[in-house]
């Protein structure tokens, strides 16, 4: 008997470019679109970092590349927001979104913000910022919950965060509930959370369990590779696989509203 597979749309809404100095030189907009075509993507989103307001004009380089891009894939123009500090906000506003023509925003916490290591405080700070992100009407997707930068931990000699199973289930359920209520998608990040080669089988298994609790609370999910190198775009399959594994239906997979910036049938109609 043939098993019917859940049809997960082939999407990637977390991709960096060379312009913000985080991704490498291989991350040229035309090369990204070409590799995504090869991988059979249905739609993609460019989401480079906005860590401070002075970096925002650099995103106009991406926009210029998109304006002359020729591709069959619908491409959206987004940004990835980071907090300006502990319990501070994102360097973003409805006015800036409008001014730069930004179609969507993903965002989240990127630091531990600890004076000294304490697991309970670490988890409390992350949880608080996750909920704050979900409640921000300008943010569509909460990125990579419980991802940490290893360099930060190593520089302080803190014990590495090697298991998401330490997060209290009450936090996970509350995150799922708030995400559902606010219509914020939770990211399934292919390289920052779901890469077995980088984190090990057990870490990823526990992370999938974490995502499955969020799914039980009715939240939607966004699929993202968080690519900083052209060779890592193919890692998006990790996220597609997990979405399939969790039996998510297509209506639970987030995508930006409206026509893409460029590419695809809808894009062409709108631009005529
Ligand atoms: Zn990030
Ligand atoms: Zn990113």
């Amino acid at each position: 008997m043939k098993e019917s597979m859940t049809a997960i749309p082939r999407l990637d809404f977390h991709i960096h470019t060379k312009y913000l100095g985080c991704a490498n030189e291989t991350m040229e907009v035309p090369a990204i679109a070409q590799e995504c075509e090869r991988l059979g993507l249905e739609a993609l989103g460019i989401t480079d970092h906005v860590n401070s307001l002075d970096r925002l004009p650099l995103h106009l380089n991406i926009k210029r590349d998109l304006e002359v891009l020729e591709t069959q894939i619908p491409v959206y123009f987004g940004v990835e927001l980071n907090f300006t500090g502990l319990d501070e906000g994102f360097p973003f506003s409805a006015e800036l979104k409008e001014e730069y023509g930004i179609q969507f925003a993903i965002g989240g916490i990127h630091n531990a913000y600890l004076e000294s290591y304490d697991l309970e405080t670490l988890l409390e700070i992350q949880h608080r910022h996750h909920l704050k992100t979900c409640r921000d009407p300008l943010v569509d997707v909460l990125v990579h919950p419980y991802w940490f930068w290893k360099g930060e931990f190593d520089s302080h000699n803190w014990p590495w965060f090697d298991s998401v199973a330490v997060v209290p289930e009450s936090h996970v359920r509350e995150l799922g509930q708030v995400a559902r209520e606010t219509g914020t998608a939770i990211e399934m990040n292919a390289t920052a959370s779901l890469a077995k080669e980088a984190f090990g089988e057990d870490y990823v298994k526990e992370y999938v369990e974490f995502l499955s609790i969020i799914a039980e609370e009715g939240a939607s999910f966004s699929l993202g590779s968080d690519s900083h190198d052209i060779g890592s775009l193919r890692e998006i399959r990790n996220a597609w696989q997990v979405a399939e594994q969790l039996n998510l239906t297509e209506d639970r997979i987030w995508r930006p509203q409206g026509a893409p910036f460029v590419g695809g049938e809808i894009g062409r109609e709108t631009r005529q």
Side-chain angles (χ1 to χ4, degrees), residues 14 16 49 80 110 143-144 147 226:
H14 191 155
H16 295 277
H49 297 284
E80 178 178 10
H110 287 77
V143 292
H144 47 61
W147 164 84
D226 208 350

Tab-separated table of all heavy atoms in Angstrom, residues 14 16 49 80 110 143-144 147 226, ligand 1:
chain	number	residue	atom	x	y	z
A	14	HIS	N	14.663	32.369	4.980
A	14	HIS	CA	15.754	32.882	5.827
A	14	HIS	C	17.078	32.698	5.083
A	14	HIS	O	17.728	31.656	5.179
A	14	HIS	CB	15.765	32.136	7.173
A	14	HIS	CG	16.659	32.770	8.198
A	14	HIS	ND1	16.451	32.595	9.544
A	14	HIS	CD2	17.754	33.554	8.088
A	14	HIS	CE1	17.392	33.251	10.222
A	14	HIS	NE2	18.194	33.836	9.355
A	16	HIS	N	20.737	34.871	3.809
A	16	HIS	CA	21.588	36.065	3.910
A	16	HIS	C	22.341	36.325	2.601
A	16	HIS	O	22.451	35.434	1.762
A	16	HIS	CB	22.558	35.912	5.079
A	16	HIS	CG	21.845	35.868	6.401
A	16	HIS	ND1	21.451	37.002	7.050
A	16	HIS	CD2	21.406	34.819	7.161
A	16	HIS	CE1	20.822	36.666	8.172
A	16	HIS	NE2	20.772	35.344	8.256
A	49	HIS	N	20.563	40.851	7.924
A	49	HIS	CA	20.489	41.347	9.307
A	49	HIS	C	20.195	42.843	9.401
A	49	HIS	O	20.727	43.638	8.643
A	49	HIS	CB	21.827	41.104	10.011
A	49	HIS	CG	22.190	39.663	10.137
A	49	HIS	ND1	21.597	38.840	11.052
A	49	HIS	CD2	23.073	38.889	9.460
A	49	HIS	CE1	22.114	37.621	10.948
A	49	HIS	NE2	23.011	37.619	9.976
A	80	GLU	N	16.049	40.339	8.770
A	80	GLU	CA	16.132	39.626	10.049
A	80	GLU	C	16.509	40.618	11.146
A	80	GLU	O	17.591	41.207	11.116
A	80	GLU	CB	17.173	38.495	10.015
A	80	GLU	CG	17.273	37.810	11.381
A	80	GLU	CD	18.242	36.627	11.446
A	80	GLU	OE1	18.998	36.416	10.486
A	80	GLU	OE2	18.210	35.929	12.477
A	110	HIS	N	19.643	37.109	19.841
A	110	HIS	CA	20.890	36.555	19.308
A	110	HIS	C	22.018	36.529	20.331
A	110	HIS	O	23.169	36.277	19.976
A	110	HIS	CB	21.338	37.351	18.080
A	110	HIS	CG	20.508	37.095	16.855
A	110	HIS	ND1	19.263	37.644	16.680
A	110	HIS	CD2	20.731	36.330	15.768
A	110	HIS	CE1	18.772	37.234	15.523
A	110	HIS	NE2	19.641	36.436	14.944
A	143	VAL	N	12.703	33.735	14.848
A	143	VAL	CA	13.807	32.913	14.323
A	143	VAL	C	14.446	32.033	15.400
A	143	VAL	O	14.511	32.396	16.570
A	143	VAL	CB	14.918	33.769	13.667
A	143	VAL	CG1	14.420	34.409	12.390
A	143	VAL	CG2	15.487	34.815	14.622
A	144	HIS	N	14.923	30.918	14.957
A	144	HIS	CA	15.750	29.946	15.692
A	144	HIS	C	15.678	30.011	17.230
A	144	HIS	O	16.686	30.329	17.880
A	144	HIS	CB	17.219	30.038	15.251
A	144	HIS	CG	17.806	31.435	15.168
A	144	HIS	ND1	17.906	32.267	16.258
A	144	HIS	CD2	18.324	32.119	14.119
A	144	HIS	CE1	18.475	33.397	15.883
A	144	HIS	NE2	18.729	33.335	14.590
A	147	TRP	N	18.698	28.943	19.789
A	147	TRP	CA	20.001	28.913	19.133
A	147	TRP	C	20.905	29.860	19.914
A	147	TRP	O	20.468	30.924	20.355
A	147	TRP	CB	19.910	29.398	17.687
A	147	TRP	CG	21.272	29.740	17.117
A	147	TRP	CD1	22.167	28.881	16.550
A	147	TRP	CD2	21.917	31.040	17.100
A	147	TRP	NE1	23.312	29.560	16.175
A	147	TRP	CE2	23.190	30.881	16.511
A	147	TRP	CE3	21.534	32.320	17.539
A	147	TRP	CZ2	24.081	31.948	16.326
A	147	TRP	CZ3	22.424	33.376	17.373
A	147	TRP	CH2	23.683	33.181	16.764
A	226	ASP	N	18.775	29.773	6.803
A	226	ASP	CA	19.741	30.666	7.455
A	226	ASP	C	21.109	30.556	6.774
A	226	ASP	O	22.143	30.573	7.437
A	226	ASP	CB	19.851	30.310	8.953
A	226	ASP	CG	20.253	31.507	9.807
A	226	ASP	OD1	20.634	32.539	9.232
A	226	ASP	OD2	20.189	31.385	11.046
B	1	LIG	ZN1	19.601	34.881	13.451
